[in-house]
Amino acid sequence: MSITDLQMLFKFIGGLGMFLYGMNAMADGLQKSAGHRMQQLLGALTKNRLMGVILGAGITAIIQSSSATTVMVVGFVNAGIMNLGQAVGIIMGANIGTTVTSWIVSMSEWGEMLKPEFFAPALVGVGAVMTLFCKNSKKKQAGEILVGFGVLFIGLTFMSASITPYRDAPIFAQAFTVLGRNPFLGILAGAAVTGIIQSSSASVGILQTLALNGIVNWQSAIFITLGQNIGTCVTALISSVGANKTAKQAAGIHLLFNTVGAVIFGIVMYLIFKLNPVFASSTISSVEISIFHTVFNVSNTILLFPFAGLLVKASSFMIRDSKKGKEETKGSQMERHLDERILETPSFAIENATQEVINMGKAALENFDIATAALLDNSRAEAEQVEKLEAKINQYEKILTSYLVKINNQSLNEEQHLLVKNLFYTVSNFERVSDHCENLSELAVEKADKNIVFSVDAAGEMKEMIKTVRSALEHAINARGGAGMSEVRAVVQSEESVDMLEEELRERHIERLSSHKCTPENGIVFLEALSNLERISDHAHNIAGFVRDEM
């Protein structure tokens, strides 16, 4: 290999690297710009299958990867958020959404002014200035998208330039002739390349780069493209390892859908090429690859959409339950819900984490009810329940904190970073609420051991305090759940009432102690209970404050 050949190889590798990096940077910028709109799409998952197709196409167009979308779907199914019927629609839509990248790649054939070498440097320049000097987060995100576009096109230019000197080389003509004549080899080649680089968008981009230089014929391009659609299933199949049976079925549906489509279109195109060999051996352009890629994926979806139920049934025959598989899925529902596959789309991961934080809050509220009942009734049995629930809440904190750290390491916009930070603090506050509940249960045990009974007045005052604190905690959980400023204001009002009530009840109890209406032992338990209840109200106020900061 000569120095020139080595230089061209490096140029191609560098171009491919820039193409992949640009596509990733563009997708990150688009995700940040989409922000909460991506979270709102989560609600559409409960709609009909046609909505799933639209949703799958939309998400894939944003994140620029059908593999990532399907991996996320596997995560949703594994977490129990989505059933297989809903998954089928999104998987079908993802194949349509991935065609966006091929149209971006083929832009250079649309006209002279759309050639990458013409406008890509300007995109990078403008995008870099916006990213570095604009203070507005939206403008920064727009800059990231422009830089991604620019680098992607510059990468394409590098790849094309590295291939141009060899477009008349016999090896290319021979290779594509062989792949074209043998559909199995063409499909296998497309699947293998895509499986290795884990991106159908990138492998289609490489094929289109070769087509730009006029060295790819129709029959080889068609079969390779069909193979690329099968190869993109590899990522989801790998991702489903260790998931439950249903999640594995989702990956199986992806493989079935793409394989059945490839077989049907492969047979049709093989017959067309046999009838028209001149057309089969003619060169294909980058735009024509985009057209076929789009027609294939849209037609395949229309063709197989009515048979979605059959795909689900077929996947159940492919994936069987095993003893090992059952053991793999023994983790808690929360651990399954916070599936790492969903991190592929941070907005959805944030939505899931938020829901689990709310669930943690509800567990803390349940612990509050049990602890306060134990305190009033001197119940050892209820105090033991508090300890068990406290252990569960501690587990909540550990798992949620770990997951939020992973989310925080993803590409987030400023609003999402603030939300994740506040979720960290909220988790900590709910855990502290549960700690105070444990303190209350310990006081309940002390009351039972020492046969301490509150006076009628003291018991009535304690019930009033408990009711007010519970109101603050419940409103805080509702506020975190998205109920709005009315719930935040309700927490503030309850907190003010708790502070005034605590001060008033302390004074009354000290008066009872002074007049010997209450024993010192009773007094210590009563005052410590008041202190713990007041601290729980403070934590509720903190949680509401985080929600207010986000509005």
Side-chain angles (χ1 to χ4, degrees), residues 171-245:
I171 187 170
F172 280 113
Q174 291 169 3
F176 284 115
T177 299
V178 171
L179 293 175
R181 285 176 180 169
N182 192 324
F184 295 107
L185 280 179
I187 290 173
L188 183 63
V193 172
T194 305
I196 291 168
I197 64 177
Q198 298 277 294
S199 173
S200 62
S201 296
S203 61
V204 171
I206 294 170
L207 182 64
Q208 286 180 290
T209 302
L210 295 170
L212 285 169
N213 288 276
I215 57 178
V216 184
N217 58 49
W218 263 92
Q219 57 185 357
S220 59
I222 296 305
F223 296 132
I224 290 171
T225 301
L226 294 175
Q228 288 166 338
N229 269 51
I230 296 174
T232 194
C233 301
V234 170
T235 310
L237 290 170
I238 293 171
S239 173
S240 70
V241 174
N244 61 27
K245 179 192 173 186

Side-chain angles (χ1 to χ4, degrees), residues 118-130 143 145-151 153:
F118 179 80
F119 65 86
L123 286 181
V124 174
V126 173
V129 169
M130 290 174 70
I145 295 169
L146 289 177
V147 170
F149 262 115
V151 172
F153 285 126

Side-chain angles (χ1 to χ4, degrees), residues 293-338:
H293 195 219
T294 303
V295 169
F296 164 64
N297 284 296
V298 172
S299 300
N300 193 31
T301 299
I302 294 171
L303 182 66
L304 296 181
F305 185 82
F307 304 102
L310 286 176
L311 289 175
V312 173
K313 288 180 181 178
S315 69
S316 67
F317 286 109
M318 287 174 57
I319 311 296
R320 298 283 184 178
D321 271 324
S322 64
K323 186 176 179 182
K324 182 181 177 183
K326 289 176 183 177
E327 289 173 356
E328 285 171 343
T329 59
K330 281 184 179 177
S332 70
Q333 178 62 34
M334 180 180 64
E335 289 175 295
R336 286 180 56 209
H337 200 205
L338 300 178

Side-chain angles (χ1 to χ4, degrees), residues 485-504:
M485 276 302 296
S486 61
E487 293 293 323
V488 173
R489 286 191 289 269
V491 174
V492 174
Q493 290 170 1
S494 295
E495 161 65 7
E496 290 173 354
S497 298
V498 167
D499 287 343
M500 290 187 292
L501 196 56
E502 193 231 5
E503 188 176 343
E504 182 183 338

Side-chain angles (χ1 to χ4, degrees), residues 142-159:
E144 289 179 25
I145 295 169
L146 289 177
V147 170
F149 262 115
V151 172
L152 182 155
F153 285 126
I154 290 172
L156 283 172
T157 303
F158 267 55
M159 284 196 289

